Amino acid sequence: MVCCFMKLMIVAGGLDEGERSTNEQFINLMGGKKEIWFIENAWHIGGKLVVPDEYTQKMLTFFAAAFRNDE
């Protein structure tokens, strides 16, 4: 179980239906603060190559908020 104080970001490739469905199941089971981002034109771990600027910005924004403990 994920602690309600923990923030979680799941980043997944959108081209693999198995990866999508597995991560959708995970996110539905988790309480607390969570976010899921499917990078539609990416395979597993390929998002930073497909959308490098968006990936960098989204990750920096997420971690900055998580360390500040923003609601």
Side-chain angles (χ1 to χ4, degrees), residues 4-66:
C4 60
F5 301 110
M6 176 188 261
K7 292 179 171 54
L8 176 71
M9 164 73 88
I10 294 177
V11 180
L15 292 176
D16 183 330
E17 190 56 43
E19 183 172 352
R20 176 181 290 276
S21 65
T22 298
N23 284 297
E24 285 172 341
Q25 290 176 31
F26 284 147
I27 207 77
N28 288 331
L29 294 173
M30 295 175 184
K33 302 167 189 94
K34 63 196 181 263
E35 184 176 342
I36 191 164
W37 177 31
F38 289 108
I39 303 173
E40 296 303 327
N41 294 321
W43 291 100
H44 182 67
I45 70 168
K48 62 184 175 183
L49 300 173
V50 173
V51 289
D53 294 335
E54 183 180 6
Y55 186 93
T56 298
Q57 187 58 50
K58 194 173 266 272
M59 293 298 101
L60 289 174
T61 300
F62 171 78
F63 283 111

Side-chain angles (χ1 to χ4, degrees), residues 5 7 33 65 68-71:
F5 301 110
K7 292 179 171 54
K33 302 167 189 94
R68 279 193 314 267
N69 199 24
D70 288 352
E71 294 298 318

